[in-house]
Amino acid sequence: MTSSDDGYTDHDGTLVRPYLVTGGRTRPDGRVLALETLVTTTQRGDARSDHRRFEQRHVLVACREALSIAEIAAELEVPSGVAQVLVGDLVDEGLLRIVESTDANEQVIRRLIDGVRAL
Amino acid sequence: MVSVRSEPAASPAEPKSVKIVVSGGFGVGKTTFVAAVSEITPLRTEAAMTSASVRVDDATWLPDKTTTTVAMDFGRITFDDTLRLYLFGTPGQERFGFMWDELVRGALGAVVLVDTRRLDHCYSSIDYYEARDIPFVVAVNQFDDAPLHHRDDVRYALNVADAVPMLRCDARDRESVKDVLVALLETVLKAVQDSRTSALKEDDAPPVAVAEGA
Ligand SMILES: Nc1nc2c(ncn2[C@@H]2O[C@H](COP(=O)(O)OP(=O)(O)OP(=O)(O)O)[C@@H](O)[C@H]2O)c(=O)[nH]1
Ligand SMILES: [Mg+2]
């Protein structure tokens, strides 16, 4: 993707992505990139860790181990809304994958109780 | 940070994340609470408050003039390869209300920290969770110069239901924070069990109420 034909190019040629920052952006499949949503680098993403943009490259390397949106935002020192956009784009490119979330069933909660007690 | 992996594709043990939010008034000990149990030093992330053009460019983001940011602290506990708990401190100020919706969406439950010198500072948190049927516990932080209140007096002053656990807490003390989290998780467990029971009664009801959007 080049920045000249994507409709987001500013008058001075830098990439600008206007969006509503109030977060909770919904994916095409209806899922939301929440702050705790985990994403991980795909095999294709692994091969693209030479991504030409610094932040994308950084995310693709960092997410070889699954990280949350919040951690990515903190790591890049950008607001969470910016991390959501960045991650969303990388998911669309097939370079990152959203890790399926869990629902809060009894078994999960029991594991959490035992886990916290054992800390 | 960069790790060499033997198998690049998804491993069978996928991590799952769950979230608990920690709220309460300004300076009540939210960050201290998170730090007491987090395996990472609480990280800070910011959310911008208004609609804005944000430049997603190499290492720069430039919010426009109308944007204010609000900082949230968060920590993490990794139990094993398949389960992680994230703890998010909610911003103290009420005017960041909209952020709460995003922060709280999908949370298992909430801890409301209370400073007995400023009881009123936690009203908005309690109202928020009560109105949305989100399981929560009240943790009464005992600051050194605060008058000692009887727990029943605090409960009366806050007007919370008897079913809501109320614990004394020292956010600086790991064991104390663990107790609060266990009390919350037991409340969450009960809520899940109750909703399952009622779902069995009316079998077209959703099976789990607390996991909305998670
Ligand atoms: N005595 C006592 N002091 C505490 C306790 N919890 C926090 N403190 C102290 O209170 C001060 C504020 O704590 P923070 O954790 O920064 O409070 P906060 O809620 O994150 O503050 P904001 O994010 O600014 O709203 C720190 O100096 C803590 O050491 C407690 O349980 N007992
Ligand atoms: Mg804080």
Side-chain angles (χ1 to χ4, degrees):
Chain A
M1 186 171 75
T2 60
S3 59
S4 55
D5 59 5
D6 59 10
Y8 296 119
T9 307
D10 202 3
H11 54 272
D12 59 359
T14 46
L15 187 68
V16 169
R17 168 63 59 96
Y19 68 103
L20 201 63
V21 200
T22 47
R25 291 164 58 88
T26 307
R27 304 296 311 153
D29 62 5
R31 278 184 297 177
V32 170
L33 285 178
L35 290 167
E36 73 280 13
T37 298
L38 300 175
V39 293
T40 187
T41 306
T42 61
Q43 253 172 303
R44 266 187 66 207
D46 233 12
R48 287 289 308 280
S49 45
D50 62 341
H51 203 287
R52 68 190 172 80
R53 304 190 76 82
F54 168 78
E55 287 173 323
Q56 277 79 346
R57 210 159 55 219
H58 190 142
V59 171
L60 291 176
V61 171
C63 291
R64 284 172 177 167
E65 252 179 280
L67 282 182
S68 64
I69 301 290
E71 285 166 303
I72 292 168
E75 177 105 15
L76 295 177
E77 296 178 30
V78 297
S80 54
V82 172
Q84 282 165 330
V85 171
L86 225 142
V87 166
D89 288 351
L90 289 171
V91 169
D92 291 343
E93 290 177 64
L95 305 181
L96 281 183
R97 180 171 61 79
I98 300 174
V99 177
E100 208 56 57
S101 60
T102 181
D103 67 339
N105 57 40
E106 290 187 36
Q107 193 222 340
V108 167
I109 297 164
R110 288 219 165 82
R111 281 175 66 201
L112 289 167
I113 292 174
D114 293 343
V116 169
R117 284 209 173 106
L119 281 179
Chain B
M1 196 81 242
V2 185
S3 59
V4 183
R5 296 185 316 170
S6 45
E7 34 171 312
S11 63
E14 286 259 275
K16 302 291 181 200
S17 63
V18 292
K19 169 172 71 173
I20 285 174
V21 288
V22 181
S23 43
F26 208 71
V28 74
K30 301 177 292 290
T31 305
T32 308
F33 185 98
V34 171
V37 285
S38 176
E39 68 201 23
I40 52 175
T41 313
L43 293 169
R44 170 156 293 212
T45 181
E46 298 197 329
M49 277 193 58
T50 53
S51 97
S53 295
V54 174
R55 199 170 287 224
V56 182
D57 196 359
D58 306 78
T60 56
W61 68 277
L62 303 171
D64 70 23
K65 287 274 190 307
T66 61
T67 308
T68 330
T69 60
V70 35
M72 301 163 285
D73 292 329
F74 68 95
R76 185 178 85 180
I77 304 170
T78 304
F79 295 107
D80 55 42
D81 285 351
T82 62
L83 190 59
R84 280 186 212 175
L85 171 62
Y86 287 94
L87 293 165
F88 282 89
T90 57
Q93 298 88 331
E94 277 173 70
R95 63 195 173 89
F96 298 137
F98 84 90
M99 263 307 303
W100 278 51
D101 294 337
E102 188 186 347
L103 259 175
V104 174
R105 192 192 309 118
L108 288 178
V111 173
V112 177
L113 283 175
V114 174
D115 178 349
T116 50
R117 296 165 303 180
R118 298 171 296 168
L119 275 181
D120 55 315
H121 287 209
C122 69
Y123 290 165
S124 58
S125 304
I126 290 176
D127 289 346
Y128 186 93
Y129 298 125
E130 275 178 347
R132 287 160 186 80
D133 267 334
I134 292 165
F136 70 96
V137 296
V138 175
V140 182
N141 243 0
Q142 195 58 58
F143 284 91
D144 301 331
D145 52 343
L148 272 173
H149 288 285
H150 192 274
R151 216 161 44 171
D152 292 343
D153 296 338
V154 177
R155 185 182 290 281
Y156 180 79
L158 295 179
N159 191 24
V160 290
D162 289 344
V164 174
M166 186 175 287
L167 293 82
R168 192 159 280 165
C169 162
D170 186 328
R172 299 162 302 179
D173 176 39
R174 187 176 166 92
E175 292 304 315
S176 178
V177 170
K178 280 166 58 178
D179 288 345
V180 172
L181 289 177
V182 168
L184 173 62
L185 288 164
E186 280 170 346
T187 306
V188 174
L189 182 62
K190 190 169 177 310
V192 170
Q193 288 166 338
D194 288 353
S195 72
R196 203 194 45 190
T197 314
S198 59
L200 288 175
K201 284 179 194 142
E202 346 155 16
D203 38 47
D204 54 350
V208 176
V210 292
E212 180 233 334

